[in-house]
Amino acid sequence: MAQVVAGVGCSHVPAVGVAIDKGQTGEPYWAPYFAKVEPARSWMAAVDPDVCIVVYNDHASAFSLEVIPTFALGLAAEFSPADEGYGPRPVPVVEGHPELAWHLAESLILDEFDLTLVNEMEVDHGLTVPLSVLYGQPEAWPCRVIPLCVNVIQYPPPTGNRCYRLGQAIRRAVESYGGGERVVVCGTGGMSHQLQAQRAGLINEAFDHAFLDRLVADPEAAAHIPHVEYLREAGSEGIELVMWLVMRGALDPTVREVHRVTHVPTSNTHNGLLILENA
Ligand SMILES: [Fe+2]
């Protein structure tokens, strides 16, 4: 059977993608951040998963306010990088895994998660920046990718608990698949940041670390953090952290924390990277 071998939480700060694409990772502003993520790249190379299920949010690239799916699963054979205003990122086309993705669709929908199924879409920095953080600049991405897009843009986003339960259902789905694929689930976005209005620039490192502690050691408690707490403590875009709960749900109740780093500043976001393995 296929299996979930690990989970990764990773911010998807667009400026990190720009720094990689433009060869700026050694510059004084960026070098401390990229030094911190280097062990994660070594870990990723060693684990070498066949498939990454990347839980991310679209930023008005594939979807607009005309259509707002709460959970959208990508079934295509490939997903091209989206043009987010400056041309598409110069990164490889993302290769999908239609067979496993359709199995996930069937398993999850019959498990009462009402997904939107997407046969064609482009993927933006929400998905490609974590791949760049974990893999650098390869000719082709070393793993196949199944995108799982979550609405955290338009109120109301799904609850953390719903995301956590979806992660548990993803694990059941993966383990009922006949292939031998080794799967890493990536939850992306966060950590605390706010992009607009009076509190633009908000960063709350204390909340973010407390969130990570809860996510690792007491995920049921993390799953019950209400939306208003994310909004108040982590800023309006901090709600992206609910996507890390999908990743956490796909792992055992008890996990081993392999790697945790956070960094300020990267753009205007508290940038986090967390790697968990089943204990
Ligand atoms: Fe985002």
Side-chain angles (χ1 to χ4, degrees):
M1 71 178 190
Q3 58 174 320
V4 176
V5 295
V8 176
C10 184
S11 299
H12 59 221
V13 181
V16 167
V18 174
I20 294 170
D21 299 343
K22 291 185 179 292
Q24 299 168 343
T25 59
E27 294 184 359
Y29 181 86
W30 287 110
Y33 166 72
F34 284 100
K36 289 181 180 179
V37 304
E38 198 53 48
R41 289 183 175 176
S42 303
W43 175 89
M44 199 68 179
V47 171
D48 192 22
D50 302 299
V51 181
C52 282
I53 298 173
V54 180
V55 185
Y56 75 109
N57 66 286
D58 177 76
H59 305 77
S61 301
F63 305 112
S64 68
L65 293 179
E66 292 174 355
V67 180
I68 307 165
T70 300
F71 297 114
L73 186 70
L75 305 161
E78 57 181 43
F79 305 89
S80 296
D83 183 345
E84 299 179 65
Y86 303 93
R89 289 192 63 211
V91 295
V93 168
V94 173
E95 276 195 58
H97 193 317
E99 192 180 3
L100 176 55
W102 274 104
H103 173 82
L104 290 177
E106 178 176 348
S107 178
L108 293 170
I109 290 171
L110 298 183
D111 212 355
E112 303 182 347
F113 288 86
D114 307 318
L115 305 180
T116 298
L117 304 182
V118 186
N119 287 311
E120 186 177 336
M121 69 174 172
E122 295 182 336
V123 288
D124 70 13
H125 71 270
L127 182 136
T128 62
V129 164
L131 292 179
S132 299
V133 170
L134 294 169
Y135 286 122
Q137 294 175 291
E139 287 285 306
W141 298 120
C143 67
R144 301 219 253 167
V145 173
I146 298 178
L148 176 60
C149 186
V150 179
N151 167 44
V152 290
I153 297 287
Q154 172 64 52
Y155 187 85
T159 64
N161 188 52
R162 187 63 172 162
C163 292
Y164 184 62
R165 303 301 162 202
L166 176 60
Q168 293 175 324
I170 287 171
R171 180 171 188 175
R172 291 192 290 273
V174 168
E175 291 182 350
S176 66
Y177 184 68
E181 283 83 351
R182 298 166 61 259
V183 177
V184 165
V185 180
C186 299
T188 78
M191 303 188 72
S192 56
H193 63 303
Q194 175 153 336
L195 302 180
Q196 64 268 308
Q198 291 89 338
R199 298 200 305 163
L202 178 144
I203 284 174
N204 184 345
E205 293 183 67
F207 171 84
D208 290 335
H209 285 293
F211 172 82
L212 293 178
D213 290 342
R214 271 188 285 186
L215 185 73
V216 173
D218 191 357
E220 290 282 346
H224 287 89
I225 298 171
H227 284 149
V228 68
E229 187 173 335
Y230 288 106
L231 187 68
R232 186 178 57 234
E233 301 295 335
S236 53
E237 277 65 49
I239 191 63
E240 291 182 342
L241 284 169
V242 296
M243 296 185 288
W244 293 41
L245 281 155
V246 180
M247 171 276 285
R248 185 66 184 86
L251 301 175
D252 287 345
T254 301
V255 290
R256 182 170 55 249
E257 185 174 313
V258 176
H259 186 67
R260 182 203 292 202
V261 290
T262 73
H263 189 77
V264 177
T266 55
S267 186
N268 50 5
T269 305
H270 188 201
N271 193 326
L273 179 57
L274 177 72
I275 296 176
L276 303 175
E277 293 178 347
N278 288 326

